[in-house]
Amino acid sequence: MVQVILLSGGSGKRLWPLSNGARSKQFLPFLSCPTGGRESMLQRVIRQIKESDMKCDITVAANDQQRDMLINQLGDGINVVLEPSRRHTFPAIVLSCADLLLNKGCSKDNVVVVLPCDPYTDAGYFEAIKQMAQAVESNVADLLYMGIKPTEPSDKFGYIFTDGELSDNVLNVTNFTEKPSVKESVEFIAKGAYWNSGVFAFRLGYIIDIVEQKYVHVNNFAELRSRYSELPNISFDYEIAERAQSAAMVPFDGQWQDVGTWNILSSIMPDRTIGNVHFGSQCRNTHIINELSVPIYCDGMTDAIIAAGPDGILVSAKATSDTVKQHVDQLVDRPMYEERRWGTYRVLDRTSGADGMHSLTKNLFLKPGHNISYQLHHHRQEVWTFVDGIGRLRLDDEERIVRAGDVIHIQREQKHGLKAITPLTFIEVQIGTDLVEEDIVRLEMNW
């Protein structure tokens, strides 16, 4: 059985303001779904894997901050490996391989295929993946790449060089260069190099043996996860692909787009608007996504992207929209919207007082039967105003029913928890000196 590892740990800063550390680009539900409605990049690639009839098990490698989004979109039927901290692709792949070996009982001979979760591709892509897995099974090479015929010079991809076939549609790899300059990429394309798609295949033991020879013994998953920061924070391409002594490549010439920018995403969106959007008569090739309740009216724009959400508003020419990545860290210091297993929250307002006290106002929605943890805070007090639905409130081990119109004051260090009986909406006002999500002490409790 082939083991597929889907890499889902990235943040997708080029798709700000709708993508952030918790709600990364692969979770944005902007692609058309065959059954109607929309699906995310992650949902699309898993659907395509299942439709391809590839005989495989799927593991999603993500980080702790993305756990709830994964559960919401995929349910509990997919194996998930969570990084304790956000790092590059090499440590994420190592942790996932250790999970397969130590927790899932896979053999070192098992074939593993690693692929990103955000390319927009057709069914032929997964046929090429099957060829890669078969080439590993046949011991054609230790490491298999998927190569894409370049359409333009680019410094966003690694480049793969080949010199002939090893077997049917499997090319011998002579060299691999990770993300050269645009000038160098022109030369590479002239020499017939392929783009690296980020898809790799190998036997499980290939990676395990490298890790054990260079870094740490892989014999205890919990210990490896606790020492995760000791693994080099480097891409798989730099650490493994560039150094591979036995490598081959399967070319793929079908539909393939790396959905990393608004320019690319807008080209595959089924509609040019999402949300409360109104166009005038003089807009051409302009896409608008509005997740706010207020309307957006646009006129006189050409080749533009407008995206509005709780984290901010982007207005950009499509050709330059990817430059937002350079500025995201200066634009926001926390997510303003998150999906959790229990529901969602949206930040409505933030203030800072001259006396060092701050306030943060949230709108929270709890799904019926779900609850936020029983908890307390060291640095803030809270006021909850219930606006819709019915719930069970636990306050210092005493329980009561709450409903629309109730107002609850929660002091610092006071234990509190909430479970929704019906769909439950309330406004939370935090007041304190340090208003961060980390100021939560979770306590044991059975509802």
Side-chain angles (χ1 to χ4, degrees), residues 291-293 309-311 334-338 344-351 359-365 383 385 387 425-430:
E291 292 192 330
L292 303 177
S293 58
D311 281 7
R334 60 157 296 147
M336 304 295 278
Y337 171 85
E338 286 196 53
T344 62
Y345 81 75
R346 186 184 300 265
V347 176
L348 303 177
D349 187 50
R350 304 169 73 184
T351 64
S359 71
L360 180 74
T361 304
K362 288 181 176 181
N363 181 295
L364 294 98
F365 170 75
V383 180
T385 302
V387 297
T425 302
F426 66 102
I427 305 297
E428 174 184 282
V429 180
Q430 302 176 6

Side-chain angles (χ1 to χ4, degrees), residues 100-362:
L100 294 176
L101 180 71
L102 301 173
N103 295 337
K104 302 303 175 187
C106 293
S107 161
K108 283 190 173 184
D109 285 334
N110 262 116
V111 175
V112 177
V113 177
V114 177
L115 61 151
C117 64
D118 53 2
Y120 190 85
T121 67
D122 58 29
Y125 176 81
F126 300 93
E127 292 303 314
I129 290 175
K130 292 179 186 178
Q131 292 180 36
M132 294 172 65
Q134 181 57 51
V136 175
E137 284 278 8
S138 301
N139 296 315
V140 173
D142 291 337
L143 182 65
L144 265 291
Y145 309 82
M146 180 191 292
I148 308 294
K149 195 71 174 177
T151 56
E152 61 184 357
S154 174
D155 58 1
K156 296 182 174 64
F157 308 105
Y159 284 75
I160 306 168
F161 297 82
T162 63
D163 68 353
E165 283 194 343
L166 294 173
S167 62
D168 186 32
N169 203 41
V170 179
L171 308 181
N172 182 55
V173 170
T174 59
N175 191 28
F176 176 93
T177 301
E178 173 64 354
K179 296 182 179 178
S181 66
V182 173
K183 181 180 179 181
E184 288 175 314
S185 72
V186 173
E187 300 173 5
F188 292 172
I189 292 173
K191 294 177 180 178
Y194 291 80
W195 279 342
N196 170 31
S197 67
V199 182
F200 302 97
F202 47 82
R203 291 190 188 273
L204 182 57
Y206 175 69
I207 295 301
I208 298 297
D209 291 345
I210 290 174
V211 173
E212 292 193 324
Q213 290 167 12
K214 296 183 64 175
Y215 301 112
V216 63
H217 287 293
V218 184
N219 52 21
N220 184 296
F221 182 78
E223 179 184 357
L224 178 64
R225 195 172 187 274
S226 70
R227 298 176 61 184
Y228 191 64
S229 61
E230 297 178 24
L231 293 171
N233 191 19
I234 193 171
S235 74
F236 185 86
D237 310 71
Y238 280 120
E239 182 65 13
I240 302 297
E242 279 196 345
R243 303 178 183 183
Q245 299 300 308
S246 170
M249 187 200 79
V250 172
F252 172 64
D253 60 1
Q255 182 183 30
W256 183 87
Q257 289 176 287
D258 180 34
V259 187
T261 68
W262 281 114
N263 193 18
I264 298 298
L265 179 57
S266 64
S267 72
I268 59 177
M269 284 171 52
D271 304 299
R272 65 173 185 159
T273 67
I274 296 177
N276 191 356
V277 175
H278 304 272
F279 275 123
S281 59
Q282 302 299 316
C283 278
R284 298 192 303 275
N285 192 31
T286 292
H287 286 72
I288 303 178
I289 300 174
N290 183 14
E291 292 192 330
L292 303 177
S293 58
V294 295
I296 291 178
Y297 174 79
C298 180
D299 202 2
M301 300 285 283
T302 300
D303 299 328
I305 183 74
I306 298 172
D311 281 7
I313 298 173
L314 169 73
V315 181
S316 175
K318 289 184 177 180
T320 59
S321 61
D322 63 339
T323 61
V324 70
K325 179 181 181 179
Q326 305 164 21
H327 306 283
V328 168
D329 291 338
Q330 288 74 48
L331 294 172
V332 293
D333 59 0
R334 60 157 296 147
M336 304 295 278
Y337 171 85
E338 286 196 53
E339 290 185 26
R340 300 286 183 86
R341 282 176 293 179
W342 45 259
T344 62
Y345 81 75
R346 186 184 300 265
V347 176
L348 303 177
D349 187 50
R350 304 169 73 184
T351 64
S352 297
D355 59 355
M357 297 297 287
H358 309 286
S359 71
L360 180 74
T361 304
K362 288 181 176 181

Side-chain angles (χ1 to χ4, degrees), residues 25-84:
K25 64 178 181 179
Q26 59 268 25
F27 300 115
L28 299 176
F30 297 154
L31 305 180
S32 59
C33 180
T35 58
R38 297 187 178 95
E39 64 184 358
S40 68
M41 302 176 202
L42 181 60
Q43 290 170 322
R44 174 185 168 88
V45 72
I46 288 179
R47 172 178 59 79
Q48 288 179 305
I49 290 172
K50 293 178 178 178
E51 290 174 351
S52 73
D53 197 31
M54 188 188 311
K55 293 178 174 57
C56 66
D57 291 327
I58 300 173
T59 293
V60 179
N63 59 73
D64 276 336
Q65 203 174 4
Q66 298 171 333
R67 177 185 57 186
D68 290 354
M69 286 290 294
L70 282 167
I71 293 173
N72 288 342
Q73 292 204 355
L74 305 180
D76 297 318
I78 299 290
N79 183 41
V80 176
V81 175
L82 296 174
E83 301 175 89

